[in-house]
Amino acid sequence: MSILASDNINTSDEMGTDRISSLLQQRYGTQQELSGSLPETKVIETLLNHRSVRFYLPQSVPAPAVELAISAAQSAPSSSNLQAWSVVAIEDKDRKARINAVAGNQKQIEQAPLLLVWLADLARLRGITDAQGSPAEGLEYLESFLLAIIDATLAAQNAVVAFESLGLGTCYIGALRNNPMAVAKELALPKEVFPVFGLTVGYPDPAIRTDVKPRLPRSRVFHREQYEANPDSGDFSAYNKVLRAFQKIQLMPAIDWTEQMSRRIGTKEALKNRDALSGVVKALGFQIK
Ligand SMILES: Cc1cc2nc3c(=O)[nH]c(=O)nc-3n(C[C@H](O)[C@H](O)[C@H](O)COP(=O)(O)O)c2cc1C
């Protein structure tokens, strides 16, 4: 069964087992049973119902929805409560277009009324120690850069779930990393602040059907006690078939997932300038020892 993006909106407090079974079926493209029964919550429903939205209505995102999503983002766990992230909201069409040029002019960035740029932010912490006249040696290490990326990512995903629960759609934009320096200039980022990814936000266009994209079987990613080599680990033919069916419904070019992944990781060129990232990160002021 396919669900329109506009079906994301939760309007009822009741949700039956059938709804979760149907969402699990969509998530894997095959029948998936649970080993027992549990209360089925709206949070689980929102999570299972996720799909990236690339077609939006022009209607702007209500300010309280943005405010709530940012509070949801701030509710994410944070390494040592360092809160090493920030986010910039962009609604100005010209600025959005300039950022979109970095991302290879993606239609969803043009259409979305709101683009959020999520930042790994060590500048605020640097400011604290500078004001105290104390050292900040820890900021010089890969660990600090990594934790800022992790903090920003957890925060962003909480915002995604909040937006989706309110009937809005989102799409991450990793392509900002094609040229983080240009993004940093456009957003006037201080030293030691890195644009991790963008996120388009808006009301999904109900005229464009967006389905749940099936994932690998749960057993492919879930290990118990130790990482176990899956006996059929080289065989992804079943998943290739499931994704081919998805592509057909979505009118996407037909390609095996394994082929698509091989192309994505096969060459430096497929990284679209992101092979230069380690140098760019250093140029943005991170030391990464
Ligand atoms: C960090 C990150 C960066 C992404 N960058 C882009 C992007 O630049 N353009 C795009 O169309 N989708 C982008 N996506 C969306 C993925 O393509 C999408 O999540 C994936 O195909 C699974 O589809 P789904 O989100 O609908 O389940 C990105 C997703 C993530 C997590």
Side-chain angles (χ1 to χ4, degrees):
M1 187 182 77
S2 302
I3 293 181
L4 294 179
S6 54
D7 289 351
N8 275 353
I9 306 167
N10 288 326
T11 51
S12 148
D13 283 340
E14 298 205 353
M15 189 195 30
T17 316
D18 288 355
R19 176 78 175 130
I20 292 292
S21 301
S22 149
L23 288 168
L24 283 172
Q25 155 81 36
Q26 289 177 81
R27 181 51 71 205
Y28 296 107
T30 56
Q31 197 60 44
Q32 290 282 316
E33 303 297 340
L34 295 176
S35 57
S37 62
L38 277 177
E40 283 150 353
T41 67
K42 289 208 155 176
V43 175
I44 301 278
E45 185 190 21
T46 302
L47 291 168
L48 293 180
N49 202 24
H50 160 78
R51 67 288 306 268
S52 292
V53 171
R54 296 186 176 84
F55 298 91
Y56 299 98
L57 298 175
Q59 195 180 338
S60 60
V61 180
V66 177
E67 289 151 11
L68 263 182
I70 299 304
S71 295
Q74 290 187 277
S75 302
S78 160
S79 310
S80 306
N81 203 25
L82 285 165
Q83 305 177 61
W85 64 274
S86 297
V87 59
V88 178
I90 300 167
E91 290 177 293
D92 180 88
K93 282 201 165 116
D94 293 337
R95 174 163 292 118
K96 199 151 58 72
R98 290 193 293 274
I99 300 269
N100 200 2
V102 170
N105 293 312
Q106 301 192 30
K107 67 184 175 315
Q108 64 269 32
I109 300 179
E110 191 190 327
Q111 275 190 15
L114 174 65
L115 175 70
L116 295 176
V117 179
W118 297 87
L119 307 167
D121 185 350
L122 298 182
R124 187 167 43 237
L125 293 166
R126 172 77 65 190
I128 291 170
T129 50
D130 280 355
Q132 291 172 347
S134 56
E137 202 185 344
L139 294 187
E140 298 168 10
Y141 290 84
L142 171 65
E143 163 62 12
S144 295
F145 180 67
L146 260 188
L147 82 78
I149 300 273
I150 295 166
D151 270 12
T153 305
L154 294 177
Q157 181 56 23
N158 260 21
V160 164
V161 177
F163 281 128
E164 290 182 351
S165 76
L166 294 168
L168 286 143
T170 66
C171 184
Y172 280 103
I173 306 293
L176 293 196
R177 294 193 307 277
N178 295 354
N179 189 348
M181 195 54 86
V183 176
K185 280 196 186 129
E186 181 64 46
L187 305 186
L189 302 185
K191 260 179 83 177
E192 292 180 295
V193 177
F194 175 72
V196 185
F197 40 63
L199 185 76
T200 55
V201 188
Y203 286 102
D205 181 346
I208 311 288
R209 177 182 160 143
T210 308
D211 291 292
V212 165
K213 188 184 276 185
R215 296 293 196 261
L216 290 166
R218 201 187 283 130
S219 61
R220 288 286 182 152
V221 301
F222 181 48
H223 306 261
R224 292 187 190 273
E225 310 300 343
Q226 284 195 306
Y227 197 100
E228 48 180 322
N230 193 328
D232 59 350
S233 58
D235 181 8
F236 290 92
S237 53
Y239 184 60
N240 279 339
K241 213 169 143 191
V242 164
L243 266 200
R244 286 269 188 156
F246 171 82
Q247 291 157 359
K248 199 167 173 190
I249 294 170
Q250 292 288 290
L251 308 175
M252 291 163 79
I255 179 169
D256 279 344
W257 179 76
T258 42
E259 174 60 21
Q260 208 171 7
M261 295 306 106
S262 302
R263 287 186 199 172
R264 177 67 176 77
I265 62 175
T267 61
K268 173 177 118 160
E269 286 67 33
L271 289 175
K272 299 190 179 156
N273 294 333
R274 295 181 222 171
D275 52 299
L277 261 186
S278 63
V280 174
V281 164
K282 285 181 182 151
L284 287 171
F286 296 88
Q287 299 194 41
I288 321 248
K289 290 186 189 164

